[in-house]
Amino acid sequence: MNLYLTLKFIHIVSSVVLVGTGFGSAYYMYFANRSNCVRTQHHVARLVVKADWWFTTPAIIIQPATGFAMAYLAGWPISTPWIAASLFLYLFAGACWLPVLWLQLRMAETSEMCVRQSCDLPDSYWHHMRYWERLGYPAFIAMLLVFYLMVAKPDISL
């Protein structure tokens, strides 16, 4: 297998890990937060934070590294419209993810405190949850569009 195909394989796998972990985390966090069971909410919030550190963060680093390397090897300038659009959407999704990471950490800490004290979650937890969801939807849509651009490489002009 040549270097380009090796990079492409790594790029595809890391994109699946990135989006798959995000979607899976969102799915479980969404339903855990509707269970009204503080222990469940804490357990899932803690696992979502771990998943972001263990899977999402490495994939976030691998994606542009392999993408830039493949573009270079293929002779595509970064200004190629579908690449530029992908980069913009990727950065947009990242701009949504950074506050989501902070919100997840706060939710895990708050829920841990409530489990230890056997109390209900405070309003701040629910406030963080609403923002977590609101930031997740556009980030996920942006990543789906990046998938489309990676696969179709459409002839678009910006």
Side-chain angles (χ1 to χ4, degrees), residues 13-51:
V13 170
S14 68
S15 70
V16 170
V17 169
L18 176 62
V19 175
T21 302
F23 185 74
S25 294
Y27 176 86
Y28 288 109
M29 188 78 106
Y30 179 88
F31 286 105
N33 282 325
R34 279 143 185 86
S35 72
N36 289 321
C37 175
V38 177
R39 285 192 180 283
T40 299
Q41 289 165 287
H42 169 61
H43 185 68
V44 171
R46 188 171 47 88
L47 290 174
V48 165
V49 168
K50 286 180 180 181

Side-chain angles (χ1 to χ4, degrees), residues 34-94:
R34 279 143 185 86
S35 72
N36 289 321
C37 175
V38 177
R39 285 192 180 283
T40 299
Q41 289 165 287
H42 169 61
H43 185 68
V44 171
R46 188 171 47 88
L47 290 174
V48 165
V49 168
K50 286 180 180 181
D52 265 352
W53 287 119
W54 295 345
F55 303 113
T56 307
T57 300
I60 284 171
I61 295 165
I62 291 168
Q63 279 290 283
T66 55
F68 286 131
M70 286 188 305
Y72 174 78
L73 290 173
W76 291 321
I78 301 305
S79 60
T80 303
W82 70 266
I83 295 175
S86 295
L87 286 171
F88 172 80
L89 290 165
Y90 189 77
L91 291 172
F92 172 79

Side-chain angles (χ1 to χ4, degrees), residues 100-135:
V100 160
L101 184 59
W102 181 85
L103 291 165
Q104 289 171 180
L105 289 167
R106 298 293 78 76
M107 291 163 67
E109 290 169 357
T110 302
S111 60
E112 179 180 21
M113 178 196 68
C114 291
V115 166
R116 288 182 185 189
Q117 296 176 1
S118 297
C119 64
D120 290 335
L121 293 166
D123 289 341
S124 63
Y125 179 93
W126 300 107
H127 177 76
H128 291 146
M129 183 210 60
R130 283 189 296 277
Y131 277 102
W132 182 85
E133 286 183 15
R134 288 178 189 149
L135 289 165

